C-alpha cells in the first residue's frame, strides 16, 4: 500500500474555490493508485476569530476549554472537504484527533504528540482511499481535546506520515519551497532542491516560517521525507531529507535572520559559583527563551553577563532582573532592542573550518560590527545592529555564492 | 447528591451578555448546593450558518460529515460558557458527546440516544460542581459524531436528567411556559401550571414549539420531571409530569393547531386487499409523514382514500401518486393546501365521552365545516379550512373555559 500524506494550510482551504484547487492536488496521487491522507488547517481567519471570542469571554481563558474551542476550526474544514470527495464518489471520510486517536500529552495549547494508533490507521486506509485528517489537534488520556500550537498542522502531517510509513509527506504552502535566504531581502535568493533535517531545524529556529520546528524534529526522528511545495503551481519544491551523498555538496545552504531580538547585559556581577543559575532560573520559570549567552572573562572578581531574548519578553525580563540584580551584586542593567541575529547555516561546516572566518571577514569588509557570536556544529550566528540586517544578508549570501548552485565559493 | 439539569437554547447563549444572564440562572441551584448539568445549544444563527456552508459545498452533503460539521456549534458554546465558570473559580468543565459518551444509533442528522454512561457521569460529578454539556450531539459505535435533529438539545437535557436521576430538568426558553393555546391567536390563552406527558406529546406533535417531541417521550419513559420556564424572568413556568391526582382536574388542557398541512384524495380506487399498502409504502419510503387517513365506505367496489401530509411534501407526494395511480385504478388525484388541523387535547377525555360532540357543536355554531376527523384517547383533531383557524381556536378555547383555571365547563 503506497501512501501519500498532503498538508494544506488555512489559506489553501479558505473558501469553496480554494478547496476545489486542493481537491485537484489530492487527486494527483489518488489517481496514480496511492492512498492519500490529507491534513487540513482551519479556514484562514477562523482560528483567530475563535481566539478573539475566547479573549472577549475571559482575560485568562481556561486552556483546556480554549483547545476544545479552537479545534472546531479544523473540524469544519475536514467535514467540508470530505463532502467534496464523497460527491465525487470517492471512498473518503474526515477524521478528528479523538477518532484515530492522535494521543498527546496534557499540555493544552502546546501539546506534543505521543502516539498515533497505527492499527486503526491501517484499518481506516483499508476502508477508505482518502482520509481527511484535522490538523493541529489531538486528544489526551482524559479524552480531552488538545492542540499542538501555531503551525501544528505541519507536525500533524509529519507524525501521520511517520505512523503510516508514508512514501512522502507533501507540505503545500504559499511559497515555492525553502530558499537560501529571504527573497524579499535578497533578490538573488535561490530555491534549494534539498535541505537536510538539521539545516531545516536551524532555519526554522531562526524564524523561517516555512515549517514548524517541531514538525522537522519529528521528520528527522522518524526519517520522514518531506516535500515543501507551492499550492499554486505544480513545480517541484524543496525536499527535506536525511543528509546523504546525493545532496548538493555545499558548505553553506542558507542565510537566516531573526529581528525579533533584544540584548540584555547585567554589568559587573559577582563572578561566583551559581551566578548563572541565579540569573537564568527565574527567566526560564517565566517562560522566557534565552538564546545567545556570553559571559566576559572575570576582572577583579566581577564579570558581565550578556544574553538575547525575544523582543516581546524585554519588559518582563527587565522586571525580573530588577528583582534579582542586587543579590548578584550587579552594577547596572543595559539593554538594546535594535539588534538582529544573522546566521550562516550548512551541514558542510561540520568538517570544514574556514566558514566562520570567511563570514567575519565579509562583515568586516562592509564595516558591520559584530556584537555577539555563537556557533553550533552547522551554524554561525552573529548579533549585529538591526540597521545592517539587509546588508549583512546580501553580503553573506554573495560571499558563499548561494545565488548559484554549486558555485566555486561554496563547494566542499 | 442533588442534581439539577438546565437547558438553554441558542437565543440564550447568542453573545457574552446573554451567556452572563445564563450564568446567573445556573448559579441559583449551584449556590443552594446542587450539582448542576447545563446543556447548551449553539449560539443562535450558528447552526444555520454551518448548514448553509454545507449546502454551498454540496447539493447532497454527506450526512456523517454534516453532523461533524454542525456539532461544532455546540462545541463552541460549551467551551465559552465553561470559561466563564472557571473564571469564577467554579469546578467546572465542558463535555462533548464523545467524551461522556452519549451513545446514539448511526442515523446521522436524526440520531436517537441509546445510552449515557452513568458511571462516567457520576465520576464527572464527583470532580466537578457544574458540567457544561453540548446539546444536540452524540457519538455512535464507530466514534463518529451524530446529531439528534432540530431541537435535539431538549432531548439531550432530558436524557441527561434521566441518566443521572436528576431532581428536575429545567428547560429555559423564550416563552413563560406551556399555554392552553397560542397566545398570539387567542389573547385569553392561559399558562398551565402542569401538563401531563401525554398531553404535552399531543401538543408537540401538533407543532407546538415548546419542546421537541422526542424529549417528551424520553421524559415520559424515564419519568423525568420537566420544568419549562422563561430565560427572561424568575417566574415558575409549567411542570410537565406524570398524570396524577394533584393535577388540575380538567377535561381539556389545550387547543393546538397545525397549519403546515395539505389534504390529498385519491378518488375511486379499486377497493381490494393491499390497496393501502400500495399507496402508503412508497410515501413512507420517500420519508413523507402521512397523518390523518380516511377511507370512505366502498361503493361499486371503489373507494376514496384521503389523507393529510406536511405541506412541503405536497409536490413530492403528487409525483409519487402520479406513478402509482393507474395500478390502483384511481380516477383522479385531488388536493387542497388551504387546510388546518385543530385539536382539542386533554387526558380528562379518557373517561369522559361528551368532549367530541361538545367540540363539534361549537364549530357548527360558527358555521365552520369539518373536513376530516381523527381521534386518539386524549385528542380530537378536526381538519378545517385554513381561513377559519383563528376563529376555531378561540371558539374551542372559550367552549372549554380554558381562560379560567377550574372553570365549570372544563371540570370533571
Amino acid at each position: 500500500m503506497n501512501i501519500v500524506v498532503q498538508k494544506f494550510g488555512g489559506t489553501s482551504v479558505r473558501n469553496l474555490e480554494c478547496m476545489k484547487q486542493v481537491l485537484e492536488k489530492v487527486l494527483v496521487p489518488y489517481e496514480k493508485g496511492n492512498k492519500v491522507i490529507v491534513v487540513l488547517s482551519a479556514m484562514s481567519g477562523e482560528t483567530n476569530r475563535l481566539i478573539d471570542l475566547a479573549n472577549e469571554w475571559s482575560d485568562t481563558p481556561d486552556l483546556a476549554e480554549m483547545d476544545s474551542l479552537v479545534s472546531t476550526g479544523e473540524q469544519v474544514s475536514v467535514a467540508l472537504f470530505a463532502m467534496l470527495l464523497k460527491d465525487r464518489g470517492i471512498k473518503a471520510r474526515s477524521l478528528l484527533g479523538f477518532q484515530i486517536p492522535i494521543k498527546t500529552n496534557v499540555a493544552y495549547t502546546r501539546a506534543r504528540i505521543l502516539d498515533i494508533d497505527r492499527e486503526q490507521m491501517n484499518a481506516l486506509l483499508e476502508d477508505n482511499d482518502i482520509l481527511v485528517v484535522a490538523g493541529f489537534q489531538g486528544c489526551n488520556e482524559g479524552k480531552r481535546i488538545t492542540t499542538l500550537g501555531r503551525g501544528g498542522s505541519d507536525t500533524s502531517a509529519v507524525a501521520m506520515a511517520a505512523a503510516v510509513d508514508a512514501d512522502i509527506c507533501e507540505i503545500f504552502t504559499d511559497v515555492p519551497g525553502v530558499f537560501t535566504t529571504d527573497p524579499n531581502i535578497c533578490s538573488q535568493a535561490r530555491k534549494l532542491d534539498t535541505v537536510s533535517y538539521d539545516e531545516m531545524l536551524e532555519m526554522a529556529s531562526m524564524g523561517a516560517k516555512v515549517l514548524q520546528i517541531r514538525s522537522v524534529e519529528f521528520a528527522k526522528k522518524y526519517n520522514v521525507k518531506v516535500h515543501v511545495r507551492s499550492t499554486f503551481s505544480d513545480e517541484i519544491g524543496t525536499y527535506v531529507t536525511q543528509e546523504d551523498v546525493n545532496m548538493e555538496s555545499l558548505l553553506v545552504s542558507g542565510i537566516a535572520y531573526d529581528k525579533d531580538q533584544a540584548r540584555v547585559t547585567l554589568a559587573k556581577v559577582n563572578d561566583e559559583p551559581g551566578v548563572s543559575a541565579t540569573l537564568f532560573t527565574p527567566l526560564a520559570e517565566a517562560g522566557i527563551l534565552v538564546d545567545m549567552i556570553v559571559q566576559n572573562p572575570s576582572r577583579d572578581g566581577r564579570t558581565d553577563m550578556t544574553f538575547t531574548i525575544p523582543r516581546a519578553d524585554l519588559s518582563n525580563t527587565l522586571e525580573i532582573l530588577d528583582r534579582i540584580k542586587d543579590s548578584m551584586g550587579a552594577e547596572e542593567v543595559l539593554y538594546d532592542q535594535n539588534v538582529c541575529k544573522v546566521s550562516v547555516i550548512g551541514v558542510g561546516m561540520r568538517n570544514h573550518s574556514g566558514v566562520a572566518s570567511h563570514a567575519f571577514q565579509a562583515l568586516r569588509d562592509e564595516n558591520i560590527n559584530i556584537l555577539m557570536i555563537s556557533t553550533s556544529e552547522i551554524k554561525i550566528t552573529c548579533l549585529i545592529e538591526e540597521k545592517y540586517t539587509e546588508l549583512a544578508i546580501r553580503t553573506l549570501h554573495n560571499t558563499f555564492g548561494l545565488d548559484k548552485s554549486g558555485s566555486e565559493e561554496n563547494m566542499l
Side-chain angles (χ1 to χ4, degrees), chain A residues 146-159:
Chain A
T146 53
T147 67
L148 311 178
R150 280 273 155 167
S153 292
D154 290 346
T155 304
S156 303
V158 174

Side-chain angles (χ1 to χ4, degrees), chain A residues 138-209:
Chain A
C139 184
N140 65 27
E141 249 189 354
K143 283 174 81 178
R144 298 202 75 170
I145 296 169
T146 53
T147 67
L148 311 178
R150 280 273 155 167
S153 292
D154 290 346
T155 304
S156 303
V158 174
M160 193 54 79
V164 301
D165 203 12
D167 297 297
I168 187 85
C169 178
E170 299 187 312
I171 306 282
F172 286 86
T173 175
D174 49 5
V175 295
V178 180
F179 280 74
T180 49
T181 193
D182 184 345
N184 296 318
I185 287 181
C186 181
S187 60
Q188 306 198 308
R190 188 173 54 84
K191 193 188 73 188
L192 292 162
D193 294 333
T194 56
V195 66
S196 73
Y197 297 126
D198 287 330
E199 288 168 327
M200 196 66 231
L201 273 178
E202 296 285 9
M203 288 181 190
S205 70
M206 284 292 290
K209 301 287 185 303

